[in-house]
Amino acid sequence: MLPFLVAAAALLASQSVAITTHCPSTYVPDLPLDQTALSVPTGDAVAYVAIARGTQNYTCDGSTWQSTGAVASLYDISCLDSSAYPSLATSALAVNIAALRHRSRRHASHHVFDTLPRKAKRSASPSPAPHVYSSVGTVLSDIGSGTHGASYLGSLTYVDVEGVLTLKFDFTETVGGEAYALVERVAGLNSPDDASADIKWVEFSVEEGALAKTVFQVDTQSGQAPSSCSDSGSILTVAYSAVYVFYA
């Protein structure tokens, strides 16, 4: 084979590996010891751990904000020290809020409600090692730019499935094949950090797709709407971040 063809083949092979492989993980979500709502599956391996940059979306019905779903980009943190996950979620929320504030200045009719953590989260864990921190920096750079950088895995959206608004995780762009999951909520748990501001921690079962069998939403940051509203039909976007754990 000609040298340039050998080099091209090697390049394609390396790109394929970069896209289709991930770090094996033994991470177990740090659930409160006194809770019984969420149950980590035994015998299933962690396929991916991802950090979300996104929004929880609401419409006012005249008195309360009603959820209309969520949209997020997910970034691969499977290879990072798990002690970095909670603080990474806080950082992801901060860069997310900055981006939303910039967008809201261009869309005056669209309400943006954002909250930064009012107290230290449970992330009083040791700082990651220097070689891990450089990877954290890569993830935060991707989150901040909003582009499909090296750590981008896929999307979180809500789709209509036979008239039912259904949560979908989609990694087909980067992983390929049937790497998506339509999920159903199994159980939820109030955030142990700030239940008044953070969306719930949730366990989902996968109803369709080959991405995973079970998905957990943990280490949530913000996302909840205010308790009331009066302008019927108005739209609210609330910045949020969370860690998603995919068991296959």
Side-chain angles (χ1 to χ4, degrees), residues 31 35-40 167 183-191 199-207 214-218 220 244:
L31 304 176
Q35 72 85 33
T36 58
L38 310 185
S39 178
V40 175
L167 178 57
V183 302
E184 183 175 295
R185 176 173 164 154
V186 174
L189 174 72
N190 286 337
S191 167
I199 58 173
K200 290 180 180 289
W201 294 21
V202 181
E203 176 184 348
F204 300 99
S205 64
V206 175
E207 303 302 307
T214 306
V215 182
F216 282 85
Q217 171 182 283
V218 297
T220 55
Y244 290 93

Side-chain angles (χ1 to χ4, degrees), residues 11 28 63 98 142 168 202:
L11 176 61
V28 176
S63 59
D142 289 347
K168 180 180 182 180
V202 181

Side-chain angles (χ1 to χ4, degrees), residues 56-96:
Q56 298 287 322
N57 305 316
Y58 302 88
T59 298
C60 180
D61 66 3
S63 59
T64 59
W65 292 105
Q66 299 295 320
S67 175
T68 56
V71 177
S73 294
L74 301 181
Y75 300 86
D76 193 359
I77 58 173
S78 308
C79 303
L80 305 187
D81 186 328
S82 60
S83 67
Y85 293 172
S87 59
L88 185 56
T90 302
S91 299
L93 176 63
V95 296
N96 190 8

Side-chain angles (χ1 to χ4, degrees), residues 23-43:
C23 296
S25 175
T26 57
Y27 172 66
V28 176
D30 185 16
L31 304 176
L33 295 177
D34 58 350
Q35 72 85 33
T36 58
L38 310 185
S39 178
V40 175
T42 57

Side-chain angles (χ1 to χ4, degrees), residues 168-173 175-182 206 208-212:
K168 180 180 182 180
F169 298 93
D170 191 344
F171 293 0
T172 55
E173 179 182 337
V175 177
E178 297 294 305
Y180 73 93
L182 293 172
V206 175
E208 182 183 318
L211 178 60

